[in-house]
Amino acid sequence: MSLVAQTLLHASVADEKVDVSDVNVSDAIWSVYLIRDVRQRLYCGVTTNVARRFAEHQQGKIGAKALKGQGPLMLAWHQPIGDKRLAMQLEYRIKQLKKSQKEALVAKQCLLTDFANCRQLMSAAASG
């Protein structure tokens, strides 16, 4: 993994800004994230820069329509995934989950690299 990709992978969402001007798009690490709005709804999205995308959602100009006027927003969970295709597939799967399952994902801080175990945790939360 390149030094730039490692920096992207380990950058703190709240504290650091990562300069990605020299990152090749094919080298970018794609992440899936969940944002909680004022009504406690969870919005799922994908990006190569979670801090930048969260800031865009908070500003409301570039962010998703579903989050406009729904602040204050909170970044509830995010997970680096790797390539764009896999990140988008996981985003789709997460969007299909029930709210209780998404909450279990946030509460357990599951790593989606171990998605089978996360699914078991989410199923237990939904039935219990």
Side-chain angles (χ1 to χ4, degrees):
M1 183 183 303
S2 73
L3 180 58
V4 174
Q6 288 176 1
T7 303
L8 283 170
L9 185 61
H10 298 295
S12 167
V13 173
D15 300 330
E16 291 183 40
K17 291 188 178 177
V18 178
D19 179 16
V20 293
S21 58
D22 62 341
V23 176
N24 184 334
V25 173
S26 63
D27 291 340
I29 303 294
W30 283 82
S31 296
V32 178
Y33 62 89
L34 288 169
I35 293 177
R36 187 181 305 280
D37 70 11
V38 72
R39 294 183 188 171
Q40 302 303 309
R41 293 179 300 186
L42 290 167
Y43 171 84
C44 187
V46 297
T47 186
T48 56
N49 186 322
V50 175
R52 174 193 48 81
R53 189 66 180 127
F54 181 63
E56 290 172 352
H57 284 300
Q58 286 182 308
Q59 293 167 4
K61 295 178 183 174
I62 304 174
K65 286 182 183 180
L67 295 176
K68 288 185 180 178
Q70 300 301 318
L73 304 176
M74 181 187 88
L75 182 62
W77 173 87
H78 73 284
Q79 171 72 42
I81 300 301
D83 68 37
K84 182 178 182 179
R85 183 171 185 246
L86 182 56
M88 292 180 79
Q89 288 173 341
L90 254 18
E91 175 193 29
Y92 175 79
R93 286 179 134 180
I94 291 170
K95 286 182 174 184
Q96 303 306 306
L97 298 175
K98 295 177 183 176
K99 173 108 177 0
S100 61
Q101 293 172 311
K102 293 176 192 175
E103 291 292 354
L105 183 66
V106 171
K108 301 293 184 186
Q109 293 297 306
C110 293
L111 298 177
L112 289 179
T113 53
D114 192 18
F115 198 67
N117 288 340
C118 286
R119 256 194 268 169
Q120 291 172 357
L121 288 171
M122 290 183 282
S123 294
S127 63

